[in-house]
Amino acid sequence: MAISLSINLNKVALLRNSRGAHNPSPVVAAGACIDAGAYGLTLHWRADERHTRKADVVALRQLCADRGVEFNLEGDDRPELSQLAAGLRVTQFTLVPVRPGEVTSDHGWDLPRQHGIVAPIVARLKNVGVRTAIFVDANPDAMAHAAATGVDRIEIYTEPYAAAFATEREQVEFARVRDTARAAVAHGMKVNAGHDLNLRNTPRLAREVPEIVEASIGHALLADALYLGLGETVRRYLRACAGEIVDAPVT
């Protein structure tokens, strides 16, 4: 069974913001992704709004509802974010720890130490019918602690696997992802994955880790779209999420 592809459009918003106008439009890009077969769309709304803005979240939530696809909102534990997720009844809210000054997300929640941060947010959102996920490092021993928060899903931070792909460390990092996914399912959770996934490293996960039900992919997909066009790129990523080896731009 193929991994469901949720496309993160933050980089479209980042490019728009660089000129201070409205082009390129995350909403127009979102429509193109849906037209090409995307299962869902993702936005990570950071407090500094360096890419996604609150208005983008509202607009894409409405578009997803109109087009019948899932909308995944990512972000940290600030109250305005979880309140927005609840108010919009997003399909899924993925709670991600944020370190001041980080360029991008680079670590999962430290559980059980941060249980008191995670569990109340999970409970509030589940209470209004929002599916919940938390960002975690690939560590099977931590899955019992993740399950204790009451969360529906985990999202495995896959950058170490992606960085090791096609090197001597690939099997070690792949095994961490695989074993974490298996442990998560054993503890009653479903499994998402994301960070630095691309056309080269995604097919192996799709073929060999059937526990992964969803992948959030943004940076690599949008970079490839510069060479291939957005619609064609989405279609290739859908094939990669089904385990197929596909041609990727040489970069």
Side-chain angles (χ1 to χ4, degrees):
M1 186 174 180
I3 296 171
S4 297
L5 174 63
S6 185
I7 299 173
N8 187 319
L9 293 171
N10 279 9
K11 290 300 169 65
V12 176
L14 181 67
L15 184 58
R16 173 203 60 195
N17 295 353
S18 71
R19 289 295 294 267
H22 305 289
N23 188 42
S25 164
V27 172
V28 174
C33 290
I34 296 170
D35 288 343
Y39 172 84
L41 301 173
T42 292
L43 287 177
H44 184 148
W45 180 32
R46 289 179 177 268
D48 61 10
E49 294 200 325
R50 63 177 183 250
H51 36 62
T52 295
R53 302 168 180 160
K54 182 177 181 180
D56 297 324
V57 176
V58 174
L60 261 70
R61 174 64 184 116
Q62 185 61 56
L63 177 66
C64 287
D66 292 343
R67 297 292 302 273
V69 301
E70 293 203 348
F71 180 66
N72 172 46
L73 178 60
E74 296 182 343
D76 60 18
D77 59 316
R78 67 190 195 276
E80 64 176 330
L81 184 53
S82 56
Q83 289 166 7
L84 182 63
L88 294 177
R89 297 298 194 273
V90 300
T91 315
Q92 177 174 266
F93 179 71
T94 302
L95 187 59
V96 181
V98 170
R99 180 182 293 120
E102 68 183 16
V103 174
T104 187
S105 300
D106 59 9
H107 63 289
W109 290 99
D110 182 6
L111 297 172
R113 186 180 68 84
Q114 294 181 307
H115 178 96
I117 297 173
V118 173
I121 296 172
V122 166
R124 285 196 298 270
L125 289 170
K126 290 182 69 173
N127 192 49
V128 297
V130 173
R131 188 173 76 224
T132 56
I134 58 172
F135 203 55
V136 302
D137 296 312
N139 177 5
D141 295 337
M143 291 306 97
H145 300 305
T149 67
V151 77
D152 299 303
R153 297 186 179 188
I154 54 138
E155 179 178 335
I156 301 174
Y157 172 52
T158 50
E159 192 278 336
Y161 160 72
F165 191 76
T167 74
E168 61 183 12
R169 284 197 56 80
E170 177 183 341
Q171 186 56 33
V172 171
E173 297 300 340
F174 169 80
R176 293 187 204 279
V177 173
R178 179 200 62 206
D179 294 350
T180 300
R182 290 176 178 175
V185 170
H187 283 93
M189 298 175 290
K190 290 189 176 181
V191 180
N192 299 342
H195 211 282
D196 282 358
L197 296 180
N198 60 31
L199 288 173
R200 296 178 179 85
N201 57 42
T202 300
R204 184 179 186 190
L205 295 182
R207 292 192 306 270
E208 300 183 38
V209 192
E211 293 84 1
I212 298 175
V213 297
E214 178 182 312
S216 176
I217 305 178
H219 180 86
L221 186 151
L222 291 166
D224 288 344
L226 295 175
Y227 313 116
L228 303 172
L230 185 53
E232 173 61 21
T233 301
V234 172
R235 288 186 285 273
R236 292 195 194 190
Y237 272 83
L238 289 170
R239 290 161 56 196
C241 285
E244 184 179 342
I245 303 296
V246 296
D247 290 336
V250 177
T251 58

